[in-house]
Amino acid sequence: MDPEHASARGPRASRASHREIADELRSRIGSGVLRAGQRMPTQAELAEEFGVERGAVRRALDILHAERLLTGVSRGSPARVAEGAWPGWSAAPPQPTVVGLGPRVAAAFAAPHVRIDALCLTSVSLTLAVGEQLRLIHAGELEPAKIDVPVLLPSRRIELAFPAPVDPVRAGDGGLLHERWLAVRNAQGMVLRQNLLALRTTHGIEVRLTFRALPFTPPVKLDLLNEDEALLAYYTLDRREQEFGAEPLQLYDADGTRSILFAFGPGASVLRSRGRSGGRERARRIPLRRWNFRQLGNSATNSV
């Protein structure tokens, strides 16, 4: 066999789903084992390696093609790794959160231990994205052994930066806006809690879901998937009108489901300050797999 097509996995793996195959190949691309421009193994070789039918391989390749990680999938010759698929960056283009979050959460749920660290304003997008994976679990198509979801949300006790009235004269309506936001935040959190914790009884899955409160309004929504991929979207404020009784209210608010999502894949890192030395600040990069939300969690409380 051509060394270019040699397996990086070793002995044949146990029978895998098309999602697991896509996740493994995505990991190889992200880590640089499969390089930009490199020819992929044939579908027959991948089917032999993973112990599956070629149909499962085709579905896995279609997923990676949709994420723009592969080119030439539909041609007769083997596909190639896309030129833009650099290690440390997701080849998937920036997308609205409601479009881009679901496929990334789906890839995370292919792992036996699923972990999703989330920082958000209300958890609406997270609840929507997780919902499809819960359906697949109930349908018997997914079988994670453990699901861990720590969520950081703004505290009910703080004055939110947004939503906020446009007119300072109507600043008193900020209390009503706060109550509406709190109702949405609590309702979405309750749905997420009930749906996830039900898996303990129905499927014997070990589930841990925690909510902690932040003392500030987050300017971004951030999801860290299996400590390996970060998804970041900035909350962009829009001016809109909302009905409050007989009078409409002009306000500034953000729709997290429409915020543009940027993905940072395996191999990416974050900067962390190491203090000052000789009057100059020192910093070092920490891989995503070693970085979690503890830095933010240190300022959070258990009471949301």
Side-chain angles (χ1 to χ4, degrees):
M1 183 186 299
D2 187 329
E4 185 180 25
H5 294 159
S7 169
R9 192 180 177 91
R12 181 191 294 186
S14 59
R15 192 173 186 86
S17 71
H18 70 281
R19 292 179 182 275
E20 291 171 324
I21 297 170
D23 196 45
E24 170 62 22
L25 295 177
R26 187 187 299 109
S27 177
R28 296 180 191 179
I29 294 170
S31 64
V33 172
L34 292 171
R35 302 178 302 279
Q38 182 175 344
R39 191 154 53 101
M40 294 286 291
T42 66
Q43 292 184 15
E45 289 168 341
L46 290 172
E48 171 69 17
E49 176 186 352
F50 289 98
V52 298
E53 300 295 329
R54 290 181 63 173
V57 172
R58 283 194 295 270
R59 293 177 69 186
L61 296 179
D62 285 341
I63 290 175
L64 300 182
H65 181 253
E67 296 174 357
R68 301 189 182 182
L69 288 172
L70 297 180
T71 60
V73 171
S74 60
R75 301 172 187 169
S77 59
R80 288 185 178 272
V81 179
E83 290 295 339
W86 300 317
W89 290 82
S90 170
Q95 296 175 308
T97 296
V98 71
V99 176
L101 184 58
R104 309 311 317 132
V105 169
F109 264 80
H113 178 189
V114 181
R115 182 182 175 98
I116 301 176
D117 294 82
L119 166 68
C120 46
L121 195 64
T122 62
S123 78
V124 171
S125 302
L126 179 62
T127 302
L128 289 173
V130 168
E132 172 61 13
Q133 304 315 303
L134 299 184
R135 185 191 69 78
L136 293 174
I137 290 174
H138 287 293
E141 297 183 33
L142 287 178
E143 297 181 5
K146 183 178 180 181
I147 301 174
D148 194 2
V149 184
V151 182
L152 296 175
L153 295 163
S155 169
R156 68 174 66 224
R157 297 182 177 86
I158 68 168
E159 182 178 345
L160 292 171
F162 57 88
V166 172
D167 188 351
V169 175
R170 300 197 61 177
D173 291 321
L176 295 176
L177 290 175
H178 188 279
E179 290 178 8
R180 283 199 178 187
W181 161 78
L182 186 60
V184 172
R185 190 206 72 168
N186 290 347
Q188 291 298 320
M190 184 63 68
V191 170
L192 189 62
R193 179 186 296 276
Q194 290 176 344
N195 290 346
L196 281 174
L197 296 186
L199 297 177
R200 292 177 176 174
T201 303
T202 60
H203 291 75
I205 297 174
E206 182 181 349
V207 177
R208 182 175 178 268
L209 173 67
T210 59
F211 292 100
R212 301 192 69 194
L214 291 169
F216 59 87
T217 307
V220 298
K221 58 191 297 100
L222 181 62
D223 298 284
L224 186 61
L225 307 181
N226 293 342
E227 300 185 333
D228 200 38
E229 182 178 34
L231 307 174
L232 182 145
Y234 290 93
Y235 285 115
T236 303
L237 295 184
D238 293 320
R239 180 168 175 163
R240 66 185 67 169
E241 186 174 277
Q242 202 167 53
E243 293 295 329
F244 271 86
E247 278 189 73
L249 176 66
Q250 294 288 325
L251 58 94
Y252 293 116
D253 199 4
D255 183 352
T257 62
R258 294 191 300 167
S259 298
I260 301 301
L261 193 71
F262 296 85
F264 300 84
S269 59
V270 293
L271 281 175
R272 179 177 179 182
S273 173
R274 299 183 63 187
R276 302 185 70 86
S277 176
R280 301 180 64 182
E281 187 172 0
R282 296 179 298 162
R284 65 188 177 99
R285 288 196 171 272
I286 300 179
L288 289 179
R289 65 180 181 272
R290 293 178 49 204
W291 185 82
N292 56 34
F293 280 27
R294 290 175 187 165
Q295 293 90 340
L296 290 171
N298 289 338
S299 63
T301 63
N302 291 323
S303 175
V304 294

